[in-house]
């Protein structure tokens, strides 16, 4: 009972002192205090990650969340305008899209695929009339100690598989400059200790 009073007090504090979250609280006639506290914590963590990201390039936040809608923003780079709805936290500040040869991409974790999704993507890729129809995948780009370039992919498994089945030589990708330490976060002790 005491814990519930603390949650309600925290939610009321948020409703008064946090304009975005407060608006959401006032719009609902009844609300779950624990959920409001959880949302506030998630928003704080999200802001902290965006600010602390070493990959930030000075762009304003790419995806702003309003508790009722998601607002899409766009930014312009020297190359072209990109929709930012299809970005991840890793590539949010990266505007350049590269065509990376499929043969150099390493996917160390086996994919679990939805066959219907792969087939749908294949049809979309075949009839693609603009670059924006199928978003690029994110690749961790690691420079080896002797100058080699290594590209690791952990997401975008359906897109990767669709390009592979269509026997495309290259795939659209955003290169996320990374380190062996970053790779360790994905692979744990299976990560290579050294790249040439």
């Amino acid at each position: 009972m005491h814990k519930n009073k603390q949650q309600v007090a925290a939610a009321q504090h948020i409703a008064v002192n946090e304009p975005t979250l407060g608006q959401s609280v006032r719009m609902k006639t009844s609300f779950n205090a624990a959920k409001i506290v959880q949302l506030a914590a998630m928003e704080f963590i999200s802001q902290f990650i965006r600010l602390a990201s070493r990959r930030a390039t000075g762009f304003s936040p790419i995806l702003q969340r309003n508790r009722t809608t998601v607002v899409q923003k766009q930014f312009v780079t020297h190359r072209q305008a990109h929709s930012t709805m299809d970005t991840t936290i890793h590539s949010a500040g990266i505007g350049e899209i590269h065509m990376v040869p499929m043969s150099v991409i390493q996917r160390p974790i086996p994919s679990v695929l939805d066959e219907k999704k792969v087939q749908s993507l294949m049809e979309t890729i075949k009839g693609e009339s603009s670059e924006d129809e199928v978003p690029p995948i994110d690749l961790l780009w690691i420079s080896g100690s002797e100058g080699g370039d290594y590209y690791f992919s952990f997401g975008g498994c359906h897109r990767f598989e669709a390009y592979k089945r269509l026997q495309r030589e290259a795939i659209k990708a955003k290169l996320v400059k990374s380190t062996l330490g970053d790779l360790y976060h994905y692979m744990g002790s299976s990560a290579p200790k050294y790249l040439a």
Side-chain angles (χ1 to χ4, degrees):
M1 193 74 149
H2 179 58
K3 186 176 183 180
N4 195 26
K5 286 182 183 179
Q6 287 177 329
Q7 290 172 338
V8 170
Q12 288 171 343
H13 172 77
I14 291 168
V16 173
N17 297 314
E18 298 293 332
T20 305
L21 293 176
Q23 179 182 7
S24 174
V25 171
R26 286 188 294 274
M27 288 172 59
K28 296 180 180 181
T29 55
S30 65
F31 61 89
N32 181 339
K35 185 69 173 175
I36 298 298
V37 171
Q38 182 183 20
L39 286 172
M42 288 170 45
E43 184 69 21
F44 172 77
I45 291 168
S46 174
Q47 289 176 2
F48 175 76
I49 289 172
R50 281 193 301 261
L51 292 172
S53 174
R54 62 185 168 80
R55 295 181 183 95
T57 60
F59 291 114
S60 61
I62 299 303
L63 199 61
Q64 293 183 341
R65 294 198 184 272
N66 175 331
R67 289 296 155 225
T68 57
T69 60
V70 175
V71 180
Q72 180 179 350
K73 288 186 147 193
Q74 292 194 358
F75 62 88
V76 178
T77 66
H78 65 282
R79 190 167 170 193
Q80 66 186 36
H82 295 285
S83 167
T84 58
M85 191 59 110
D86 297 319
T87 62
T88 65
I89 193 163
H90 300 294
S91 66
I94 300 172
E96 287 188 58
I97 296 174
H98 302 271
M99 291 303 289
V100 178
M102 299 280 286
S103 60
V104 301
I105 299 172
Q106 298 179 45
R107 293 189 57 84
I109 299 175
S111 301
V112 177
L113 300 170
D114 176 348
E115 189 59 34
K116 289 180 183 177
K117 190 171 183 179
V118 173
Q119 293 297 323
S120 174
L121 277 165
M122 288 173 66
E123 291 302 316
T124 302
I125 292 166
K126 282 183 202 174
E128 195 173 22
S129 60
S130 77
E131 284 190 18
D132 294 333
E133 288 184 47
V134 178
I137 64 170
D138 290 350
L139 292 179
L140 298 185
W141 170 31
I142 301 173
S143 295
S145 59
E146 296 176 19
D149 288 321
Y150 298 87
Y151 305 94
F152 292 89
S153 175
F154 295 95
C157 56
H158 292 93
R159 285 170 281 171
F160 186 86
E161 185 65 23
Y163 275 83
K164 183 175 157 185
R165 289 184 191 179
L166 290 170
Q167 298 178 348
R168 298 291 174 97
E169 300 221 356
I171 188 170
K172 292 184 294 189
K174 288 188 174 189
L175 302 181
V176 181
K177 188 68 177 151
S178 303
T179 66
L180 281 173
D182 296 329
L183 190 59
Y184 181 82
H185 288 291
Y186 285 94
M187 299 178 63
S189 62
S190 298
K193 307 289 184 254
Y194 173 80
L195 293 173

